[in-house]
Amino acid sequence: MFYYLYKRQLLRKPPVHINFSVAFQKQEPTEVIWLISDIMHHRWLLLAACFWVIFMFMVASKFITLTFKDPDVYGAKQEPLILTAITEIEKGQVTKEKRLPGEPQTIGRALSEDLVHQPLVHMERLELLRNVCQDASLKNLTHTTVSKFVLDRIFVCDKHKILFCQTPKVGNTQWKKVLIVLNGAFSSIENIPENVVHDHEKNGLPRLSSFSDSEIQKRLKLYFKFFIVRDPFERLISAFKDKFVHNPRFEPWYRHEIAPGIIRKYRKDRTETRGLQFEDFVRYLGDPNHRWLDLQFGDHIIHWVTYVELCAPCEITYSVIGHHETLEEDAPYILKEAGIDHLVSYPTIPPGITVYNKTKVKRYFSGISKRDVRRLYARFEGDFNLFGYQEPDFLLN
């Protein structure tokens, strides 16, 4: 708009070049004032047009950023987690709404509405866990020893008596930040450098394995314990994308050491020269003899091994098991049950970021043979059963 007004003004009058010293000598005062006013008018129009272009560029940049945000990496960089005091008025604003257990929640709903339903939901989850743990037919898939590998996954907050078992690719970064601040290593989330969060020599998060046997048992018995799960197959897709496709933290060993090892053993088409494909990854995970490669890969396997192998849920009595798909309601419930809801609040979760994406799962598994899918499910069947995830019939049959 400013551009067209400016152009019309230019067409109406020819460009004016003034030597001010001459103008004041040869022109009448009225003419000089008119000339100066005309020039200033042109310049103001040009300045306004520049501001308009800059403003539109900023709007377009913001739109592009929001449009192409990757849902699977929200945990890596999220809006700051701010230590806040929750007022008594906010705590009292709990409204009751009729809803069937397990019914999907609308993202963005006020968190207080669902606090009424949370105790029942979590009691049902723990009851299901206990029942599946007692199922002798699934014992090989649901039980494990509480080894050093498991104890290495559990982070300790002695100040508030909390144990958190890390389950990678389920948005664990934010929970680790919560514990880092609660432990006092940093005063706020904003002060935590991204490269420190996962550096366990700098983040001030002790592992349970660092304590003596008696201290370990004491904490397992007395502390509040929790971990988060998500649909097992969707978690594997997230792990594959994060470590072998995008690799945002620049961890070259996944592509240069782990990927070639999987390709050498599990790629059918030896003429294929592309990097690790999801089909290769699935074939490796579903192989009953995968453990010999796991030993070579070391602790890097934490991104795709089962929840059973990570957290030993049938051996350790957890207080709460959160679900990634209902994290908007589960996060404040966990903070409340841990007794720290008056100290911290979980950061806002981007709308739709935690919703199960069946279309994405279908797309990734579309080129995988039924035999390989069934072998993969056979390995992760314990996770599906323990945490109430439906068997993926659309992939198996």
Side-chain angles (χ1 to χ4, degrees), residues 137-179:
S137 66
L138 294 172
K139 186 174 182 179
N140 290 338
L141 295 170
T142 58
H143 288 260
T144 189
T145 57
V146 183
S147 62
K148 185 180 183 299
F149 181 82
V150 172
L151 297 175
D152 278 345
R153 310 282 75 78
I154 300 176
F155 297 104
V156 182
C157 176
D158 278 328
K159 185 176 181 180
H160 298 281
K161 292 182 168 56
I162 298 171
L163 299 180
F164 167 62
C165 184
Q166 178 190 21
T167 50
K169 314 327 306 165
V170 190
N172 280 249
T173 299
Q174 299 303 323
W175 287 111
K176 290 175 78 171
K177 288 181 178 180
V178 169
L179 294 182

Side-chain angles (χ1 to χ4, degrees), residues 122-284:
H122 289 281
M123 286 174 61
E124 290 174 346
R125 288 177 184 174
L126 294 176
E127 181 66 21
L128 172 65
L129 178 68
R130 283 191 291 269
N131 291 338
V132 176
C133 286
Q134 293 170 7
D135 188 339
S137 66
L138 294 172
K139 186 174 182 179
N140 290 338
L141 295 170
T142 58
H143 288 260
T144 189
T145 57
V146 183
S147 62
K148 185 180 183 299
F149 181 82
V150 172
L151 297 175
D152 278 345
R153 310 282 75 78
I154 300 176
F155 297 104
V156 182
C157 176
D158 278 328
K159 185 176 181 180
H160 298 281
K161 292 182 168 56
I162 298 171
L163 299 180
F164 167 62
C165 184
Q166 178 190 21
T167 50
K169 314 327 306 165
V170 190
N172 280 249
T173 299
Q174 299 303 323
W175 287 111
K176 290 175 78 171
K177 288 181 178 180
V178 169
L179 294 182
I180 289 170
V181 172
L182 289 174
N183 271 353
F186 289 87
S187 59
S188 68
I189 293 300
E190 297 90 336
N191 295 333
I192 305 176
E194 285 298 321
N195 64 330
V196 169
V197 178
H198 301 289
D199 187 336
H200 301 300
E201 294 182 358
K202 299 179 181 179
N203 63 17
L205 285 181
R207 299 173 190 258
L208 190 55
S209 59
S210 65
F211 296 88
S212 67
D213 289 345
S214 61
E215 290 295 315
I216 290 172
Q217 292 304 318
K218 183 181 77 172
R219 285 165 174 77
L220 286 174
K221 182 179 180 181
L222 300 176
Y223 282 20
F224 176 85
K225 302 171 287 294
F226 78 101
F227 66 98
I228 313 296
V229 298
R230 76 189 290 187
D231 177 85
F233 279 6
E234 192 171 35
R235 172 174 170 255
L236 295 180
I237 292 172
S238 179
F240 175 76
K241 288 172 59 180
D242 184 62
K243 300 305 175 187
F244 301 107
V245 180
H246 301 310
N247 202 244
R249 295 196 186 100
F250 188 67
E251 300 163 312
W253 48 88
Y254 286 101
R255 288 181 181 172
H256 301 318
E257 297 176 22
I258 295 178
I262 296 174
I263 291 171
R264 280 193 298 269
K265 182 169 176 59
Y266 296 102
R267 176 158 293 177
K268 288 183 177 180
D269 184 0
R270 297 296 179 180
T271 63
E272 173 62 69
T273 59
R274 290 182 298 172
L276 185 72
Q277 300 299 297
F278 190 64
E279 181 181 9
D280 307 321
F281 190 55
V282 167
R283 200 171 290 121
Y284 150 59

Side-chain angles (χ1 to χ4, degrees), residues 277-305:
Q277 300 299 297
F278 190 64
E279 181 181 9
D280 307 321
F281 190 55
V282 167
R283 200 171 290 121
Y284 150 59
L285 295 177
D287 183 359
N289 299 312
H290 62 82
R291 294 192 183 280
W292 77 273
L293 264 187
D294 290 350
L295 291 173
Q296 295 180 42
F297 298 157
D299 280 0
H300 299 308
I301 64 174
I302 65 172
H303 298 281
W304 51 77
V305 298

Side-chain angles (χ1 to χ4, degrees), residues 2 18 26 30 38 70 102 179 238 311 321 335 337 348-350:
F2 289 110
I18 299 175
K26 296 185 177 182
T30 304
D38 192 46
D70 187 349
L179 294 182
S238 179
C311 298
I321 299 171
L335 296 176
E337 291 298 297
T348 302
I349 300 169

